[in-house]
Amino acid sequence: MGLFRRIARARLAAKVVRRLRRAGVRDARYHATPFEVRFTAPGDAEPTILRLDPLLRDRTHLDALVAGLQPIPAAWPDAAPLLRPVLRGAAPGSPLRRPVLPFLSEFVVVDQPDTMTYVTPAQSTTWGVRTERIFTTARGNLTGAVLRGVATGPVVVRFVDDGNAYWTSHLLLDGWLSRLADQVGGVPVAFAPERGTLLVTADGGPHLPALFAEAETIFATSPHALSPMAYTSDDRGCTIPYPAPPDHPLHQTVRRAERLLAVHEYTHQPPDPDLPSAVIQLLGSATEGWRTRAVWPRDTPTLLPEADEVQLGDRVLPWSALAPHLTTGEHTPARWLAASWERFPR
């Protein structure tokens, strides 16, 4: 991104934050990488995310946006049609969430014209409905788009989101991915490398290896990175990670994608205020195999990310050697408390 564009974005963000604070919003904060402002509107307890890209294109909407800030509807009948599910690795605050895939969880947002507000557990009490109903309602509000036509061979279908389609969220709909078989020319395999991009092709087709590489590139460069992994459907139509056992030609490719996601999520995890957190690295090659390594540099209590191996000073041990001596806490993704090197004699 050029210098002048960065300056323009920062100036716009500063203007938005100033306007929000004049409107009574005290916690507005600019986040440069996803290019958004996060805040809690007056009367709300839930965090709101304001996307700035539309304002960069047309700033005349800023006055109307600030004037029209509305809290989440207090009544369930008013809120229910606005709910949408989103697939994320993490989200600001402590929103309602449930794990659905490795390192990814399902969240629910209130989708309003210019803002997206995460639903929190407390909102369930306000609305007087169970959390399961909130998730079910949000999924039910997706269109479940149906593609027309039949492919004569394996093809790639690209879903590019305009901010309203929630394409990557469609992976949460049971049976949706498997229903694309005729349109992609085989058993569908999907990639969601960033929040606004969904790529689908046929298993075993010529496009699948290249899509792994494309998905990794998008994942590594997007400010809205989601996952470099591939996904398919199980016998019940539920989305699952694409399986590639050791004898599969894409075994190491799949293994690399899985570990790239782990490194990304642990690296972006907020630090624990009380204990140091070990870093995690991706090591290896397509020839020797891919693996993750947690680095425990000093003999002090440390929170370890789950990895294939752990480096203790100048030693490297497999995770299985440490696991019986570790305890897990409430971190997401999970971290494990390692007390001392003395438990692992040379």
Side-chain angles (χ1 to χ4, degrees):
M1 184 187 301
L3 175 61
F4 291 111
R5 181 169 174 78
R6 288 199 299 270
I7 292 174
R9 288 161 67 101
R11 285 176 174 171
L12 174 61
K15 182 178 181 180
V16 171
V17 169
R18 286 196 300 271
R19 292 296 306 277
L20 287 171
R21 289 177 179 171
R22 289 195 209 112
V25 175
R26 302 303 177 193
D27 64 344
R29 296 290 184 273
Y30 172 47
H31 296 261
T33 301
F35 196 40
E36 61 193 24
V37 170
R38 299 175 184 173
F39 63 93
T40 305
D44 278 359
E46 294 74 28
T48 291
I49 294 178
L50 171 61
R51 306 182 187 95
L52 297 181
D53 285 301
L55 298 180
L56 191 62
R57 294 189 293 268
D58 185 358
R59 302 189 187 189
T60 62
H61 292 166
L62 181 56
D63 290 341
L65 169 65
V66 174
L69 282 177
Q70 296 180 354
I72 291 178
W76 171 249
D78 297 326
L82 304 178
L83 301 183
R84 300 291 186 275
V86 291
L87 193 61
R88 297 285 189 271
S94 301
L96 188 69
R97 60 178 293 276
R98 60 181 180 184
V100 290
L101 290 164
F103 295 100
L104 299 180
S105 294
E106 178 181 4
F107 299 83
V108 175
V109 298
V110 179
D111 183 31
Q112 295 174 313
D114 295 295
T115 60
M116 185 182 74
T117 306
Y118 283 92
V119 175
T120 64
Q123 200 64 49
S124 174
T125 302
T126 300
W127 289 331
V129 297
R130 295 182 179 273
T131 57
E132 183 62 32
R133 186 178 180 187
I134 294 175
F135 283 109
T136 301
T137 300
R139 288 190 180 191
N141 287 336
L142 286 186
T143 59
V146 177
L147 300 184
R148 305 299 179 184
V150 176
T152 57
V155 299
V156 177
V157 177
R158 300 173 183 269
F159 299 85
V160 180
D161 208 324
D162 62 358
N164 298 307
Y166 288 86
W167 288 124
T168 57
S169 298
H170 280 65
L171 294 178
L172 297 167
L173 302 181
D174 291 346
W176 183 82
L177 181 59
S178 59
R179 289 197 294 270
L180 300 181
D182 288 344
Q183 284 70 44
V184 300
V187 177
V189 179
F191 296 83
E194 64 174 359
R195 298 177 191 176
T197 301
L198 182 65
L199 310 172
V200 187
T201 193
D203 190 11
H207 307 290
L208 185 54
L211 276 190
F212 270 100
E214 181 178 350
E216 180 176 327
T217 298
I218 296 173
F219 174 77
T221 58
S222 173
H224 306 289
L226 189 55
S227 170
M229 290 177 56
Y231 302 95
T232 189
S233 300
D234 64 13
D235 294 338
R236 299 173 298 164
C238 299
T239 300
I240 60 171
Y242 179 75
D247 59 347
H248 194 286
L250 292 175
H251 174 68
Q252 287 301 333
T253 302
V254 170
R255 187 176 173 89
R256 174 180 170 85
E258 293 171 344
R259 281 147 182 79
L260 276 172
L261 180 57
V263 170
H264 178 272
E265 289 300 318
Y266 275 120
T267 300
H268 288 81
Q269 187 179 47
D272 186 279
D274 301 317
L275 288 169
S277 297
V279 300
I280 185 171
Q281 303 171 339
L282 176 68
L283 302 174
S285 68
T287 302
E288 65 177 289
W290 297 100
R291 66 191 189 280
T292 51
R293 175 182 293 179
V295 181
W296 185 4
R298 291 181 296 278
D299 187 9
T300 58
T302 299
L303 293 170
L304 298 177
E306 188 166 343
D308 296 306
E309 59 189 35
V310 180
Q311 180 176 336
L312 299 74
D314 59 358
R315 291 185 294 156
V316 177
L317 297 177
W319 180 261
S320 59
L322 281 76
H325 307 284
L326 307 177
T327 56
T328 186
E330 297 181 353
H331 302 82
T332 303
R335 281 192 179 264
W336 302 76
L337 176 61
S340 171
W341 291 356
E342 293 180 358
R343 292 177 175 268
F344 317 105
R346 294 182 181 274

